[in-house]
Amino acid sequence: MINNTHHIPRKPLEANDSEFEKPTGSLRLLIAFVLGIFTLYQIYSTIFLPPPPHIQRSLHLGFALFLIYLLIPVKFYHQQKFSLKASIVLLNIALAGLSVVVGIYWAIYYKELISKGIFLESLDLLIGGIAVLLVIEASRRIFGWTMVYVVTAFLIYAIIGDYLPGIFHHGGLNVDTLIRIMFFTTDGMLGLPIKVASTDIFLFFIFTAFLLKVGVGDYFIRLADTITSRTTGGEAKSAILSSMFMGTLSWSSTSNVIKSGSHSIPSMIKKGYKREFASSVEAAASTGSQIMPPVLGASAFIIVEWIGGVTLAEVFKASLIPSLLFFLSVFIIIHLQVKKMGVSDTGEHDAMGSMQLLKKSYVLAPLIVFFILLLLEQPIVEVMMISIFATIIVGFINDLVDHNRAFGLKEMVVACIDGARNALTVIIALAVVGIIVGITVQTGLANKLSNGISFITQDLTLLTLFITMVLSIILGMGMPAAAKYVLVAALAAPIITLTGEPSIGAHLFVFYFALYSDIMSPAALASYTSARISGATPTQTSIFASKIVLPALTIPYLFIIYPELLFIEPANPLSILWVLLTVIVGLTALCIGAVGYYKVEFSSKERLASIVIGLLLIYPHVISNVVGIGLLVFFIVYLKRKYSTMDITG
């Protein structure tokens, strides 16, 4: 895995790089102005005087569409002749203008539209149809053609349902009905996903932008470097820790790759790691960051609304142990892999001293305030606004004590603009998912799919979970975390709830596997983004990242079988402690089997034995655990005798 012949990429991605254009001149001022107005409107409408749902959500969507069409060019433009540039610019302006019309249409004609009900006029249907097409085209510019194919397939399914056989048959929806549902009800694009995007998620983006502005992201990276500076494979382990910390700030695995990986990947390459290794470590860790509490890549806000009857604090507690087990598994895998490669890169980090870290730790105060208010189960909007205010105070303190990081009115305005800008892709993704979910509900597809899979599996829990896992990975391809969650919550989670599993456990199960699609699917965004930074081969990065997370794939099964780990059921603390102990030992055995190394290289039979022992220990049952412990003792004795000259148990 070590290779010194590769050069470091000439220009690693910066933390603010994206598919967005970098406008100049008057266009730059216009976009900055609109982003600022967007932010002020969202904060005012969320806190003080929210308009009716249709108006608030359509304005929110209209702002996002307008900005997307000015910030992101037509993707096929780069292959065209330069003479078409003027036409493309005019097209973007025209689409941005239509976005304004779509955004304000509900605000202008609200009373008339409410009174019309289902009896819409031709102009109404035209505007609604334009809104649907604008959202689909915006998603194409951001996510590529895959999203277009998926949403188009669902639209066709909605229309031709009367001609389909078996479980896919339904009465069929005509085009007018589809448009009405998508734009003139709260069951389509203006449904629950956009509701949460226009309130909680938007404020979260503003909060994270302020945190990054005061240096929390940089502090996390330096903290990770310092913790791992004297450990074997320290650069790789630093990448894992920094991505884990960044999970509190990021909203997608790709954004985490860019923030953390722009530092960690070049550092690993400088140490001599192969590009594929460096990029796969970052991809695996950044994907895991999206399951980190408290907000799970901004998805926790939607989980609260979707499930109902749960609080953000409960989602926080439920996701805590699974997320820590994931990173423990990845950490063990990387440690063993580095040992197997014979790498030692200790003591070379750009590390801070303990006193420096302690002196700078005040930048974490806003996050601590956020955690405390969240655990006290305060209203989410209040939590966000108080946390933003705490970040502003820290920014002013920073301005006094750290002359390298200025903070004033200009930085606050920039943070608001950055937060609104970062929210755009998630808003569009949630609007597209709103179309899919609306069709799913109207056609009864989710129930039909659940009943069909239940019939096939005959309610065998493990088989049902396996099929749901595969479906979740497929559904999760190519979207931010929040959009992934909505899609799998609508289509995959009902499959598990039919088996009687606790609702929050079922939703976390499908969400976790939807996230894994960023590593191991044909649309492995985290792997491909990471490979882009390192200059590695995307496919090889995806394959190796998949191997890194392989033992961690057992964790969602674990909390479905033993939901006490999610703290959603009363349980004996000693019982939980015992399960955690056996799971940690079992995960270690699985990791050893996956890598095929622990102080010595294992044979294929020894790897298989280690994997079997790991599975027996992970499964939370007394008989399984006792057998696993017995086999583990026997296996250690066997290894000691076979490799008698080495300290295998050390």
Side-chain angles (χ1 to χ4, degrees), residues 41-50 56 203 381-382 385:
Y41 162 73
Q42 286 301 143
I43 293 175
Y44 179 80
S45 65
T46 301
I47 299 173
F48 299 108
L49 189 63
Q56 183 183 32
L203 290 178
V381 172
E382 290 183 17
M385 293 309 300

Side-chain angles (χ1 to χ4, degrees), residues 44-100:
Y44 179 80
S45 65
T46 301
I47 299 173
F48 299 108
L49 189 63
H54 295 87
I55 296 177
Q56 183 183 32
R57 299 173 197 181
S58 60
L59 282 172
H60 184 76
L61 181 59
F63 266 117
L65 288 169
F66 176 81
L67 291 162
I68 288 292
Y69 283 114
L70 293 184
L71 282 167
I72 302 183
V74 176
K75 288 201 171 186
F76 56 71
Y77 158 70
H78 299 290
Q79 305 299 324
Q80 304 297 323
K81 293 181 180 179
F82 183 76
S83 59
L84 289 178
K85 183 173 182 179
S87 300
I88 297 298
V89 170
L90 289 175
L91 174 62
N92 287 336
I93 293 172
L95 294 176
L98 287 173
S99 300
V100 173

